């Protein structure tokens, strides 16, 4: 790829870090590991296709966590950009940082704070910045059943591609339910984020997965991911 091409790739990845999905499903990416220290993964992809058109694809996925005593730090990125003959087809991404402090020996109550930047040209979001803090607690927890709830007030600053700027305070509330046995797993994660000044303006995201063993060497899994925005930018479907 040459020196100039490599530098261009690094530049795009770094620039992309300023901002994708409407609501990031953090619970789906949170590790259950209790091992202290750093762990996770960082992936980059770079692809060029040359036929009747030149298609350039860049991407980055990061899921890195740090654990120490009662402290947990989570760092996520998800960046995608696709160009066809220099015409932009996809340009979206987010960077999310979340800190948790877990109380008590059983660690069923935690204080958490987060910040997130994202963008999505298809949804006409040029730049969105979120920051919030609140509590996360375990309603019930056993080896086979987990029920967590979190609630965090947050501030939202949003710039649309139409140059409209919005500033809102939202309440981000989520419910996480998991049930698993040796050959069966079911989990659902639901986020609800209303505008505190106008509850008719809200976002809702749900992610549900069902997985079970068919044979000892074969498993079946199905997933439903749904996001709804009651008041998207003009021209963008709910």
């Amino acid at each position: 790829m040459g020196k100039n091409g490599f530098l261009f790739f690094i530049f795009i990845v770094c620039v992309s870090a300023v901002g994708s999905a409407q609501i990031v499903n953090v619970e789906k990416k949170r590790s259950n590991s209790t091992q202290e220290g750093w762990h996770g993964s960082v992936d980059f992809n770079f692809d060029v296709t040359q036929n009747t058109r030149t298609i350039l694809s860049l991407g980055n996925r990061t899921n890195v966590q740090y654990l120490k005593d009662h402290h947990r730090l989570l760092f996520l990125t998800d960046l995608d950009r696709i160009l066809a003959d220099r015409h932009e087809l996809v340009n979206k991404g987010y960077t999310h940082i979340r800190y948790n402090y877990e109380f008590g020996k059983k660690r069923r109550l935690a204080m958490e704070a987060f910040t997130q930047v994202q963008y999505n040209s298809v949804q006409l979001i040029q730049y969105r910045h979120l920051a919030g803090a609140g509590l996360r607690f375990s309603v019930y927890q056993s080896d086979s059943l987990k029920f967590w709830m979190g609630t965090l007030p947050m501030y939202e600053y949003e710039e649309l591609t139409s140059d409209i700027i919005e500033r809102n305070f939202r309440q981000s509330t989520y419910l996480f339910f998991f049930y698993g046995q040796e050959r069966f797993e079911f989990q659902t994660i639901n986020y609800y984020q209303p505008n505190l000044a106008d509850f008719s303006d809200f976002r809702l995201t749900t992610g549900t997965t069902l997985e079970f063993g068919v044979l000892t060497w074969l498993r079946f899994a199905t997933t439903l991911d749904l996001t709804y925005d009651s008041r998207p930018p003009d021209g963008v479907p709910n």
Side-chain angles (χ1 to χ4, degrees):
M1 180 168 51
K3 182 177 179 181
N4 290 338
F6 178 77
L7 291 176
F8 172 75
F9 165 68
I10 296 297
F11 171 77
I12 290 297
V13 169
C14 293
V15 169
S16 297
V18 292
S20 116
Q22 286 282 72
I23 301 176
V24 177
N25 195 332
V26 177
E27 290 301 305
K28 196 172 184 178
K29 302 175 183 295
R30 194 190 298 263
S31 170
N32 293 321
S33 174
T34 58
Q35 180 181 358
E36 292 194 346
W38 292 95
H39 58 93
S41 63
V42 180
D43 299 314
F44 292 93
N45 67 74
F46 173 70
D47 182 78
V48 177
T49 301
Q50 176 68 64
N51 40 50
T52 57
R53 307 177 74 184
T54 300
I55 301 175
L56 172 66
S57 175
L58 304 168
N60 163 242
R61 305 287 184 277
T62 302
N63 187 333
V64 174
Q65 301 187 56
Y66 175 76
L67 280 71
K68 180 66 175 178
D69 297 327
H70 292 262
H71 305 274
R72 181 186 295 263
L73 182 65
L74 175 63
F75 180 73
L76 304 171
T77 66
D78 192 333
L79 313 171
D80 286 296
R81 191 172 191 188
I82 300 176
L83 302 172
D85 291 338
R86 299 186 180 183
H87 295 289
E88 193 170 77
L89 301 180
V90 175
N91 187 15
K92 63 186 179 72
Y94 68 79
T95 298
H96 184 101
I97 301 173
R98 183 169 296 235
Y99 167 76
N100 283 65
Y101 181 84
E102 299 167 336
F103 297 96
K105 292 183 179 180
K106 295 185 178 181
R107 305 187 180 190
R108 294 193 171 184
L109 176 65
M111 181 278 292
E112 62 180 359
F114 79 95
T115 184
Q116 176 180 307
V117 289
Q118 63 189 112
Y119 64 94
N120 191 324
S121 61
V122 173
Q123 294 178 334
L124 308 185
I125 301 170
Q126 182 167 304
Y127 174 78
R128 177 189 287 164
H129 180 215
L130 307 174
L135 294 175
R136 162 187 168 88
F137 55 92
S138 172
V139 179
Y140 182 84
Q141 186 169 351
S142 67
D143 291 339
S144 60
L145 182 63
K146 296 179 176 64
F147 184 20
W148 285 85
M149 179 177 180
T151 181
L152 302 89
M154 67 180 188
Y155 176 73
E156 173 187 70
Y157 173 85
E158 183 177 76
E159 295 180 7
L160 303 179
T161 55
S162 58
D163 295 328
I164 295 175
I165 295 177
E166 293 192 5
R167 299 174 177 87
N168 298 302
F169 285 96
R170 293 183 181 271
Q171 184 73 25
S172 180
T173 300
Y174 63 86
L175 298 173
F176 169 68
F177 177 82
F178 170 87
Y179 177 75
Q181 295 290 345
E182 182 179 356
R183 300 186 64 182
F184 176 85
E185 287 186 3
F186 172 82
Q187 73 173 25
T188 181
I189 307 161
N190 301 278
Y191 288 82
Y192 174 59
Q193 295 181 343
N195 184 338
L196 293 177
D198 181 2
F199 277 78
S200 64
D201 175 12
F202 66 90
R203 301 188 187 113
L204 179 67
T205 287
T206 181
T208 301
T209 300
L210 173 65
E211 184 175 341
F212 57 87
V214 180
L215 300 170
T216 56
W217 50 271
L218 178 66
R219 294 181 69 84
F220 172 84
T222 182
T223 299
L224 169 67
D225 289 311
L226 176 67
T227 297
Y228 178 82
D229 187 347
S230 68
R231 199 170 297 172
D234 290 339
V236 176
N238 298 80

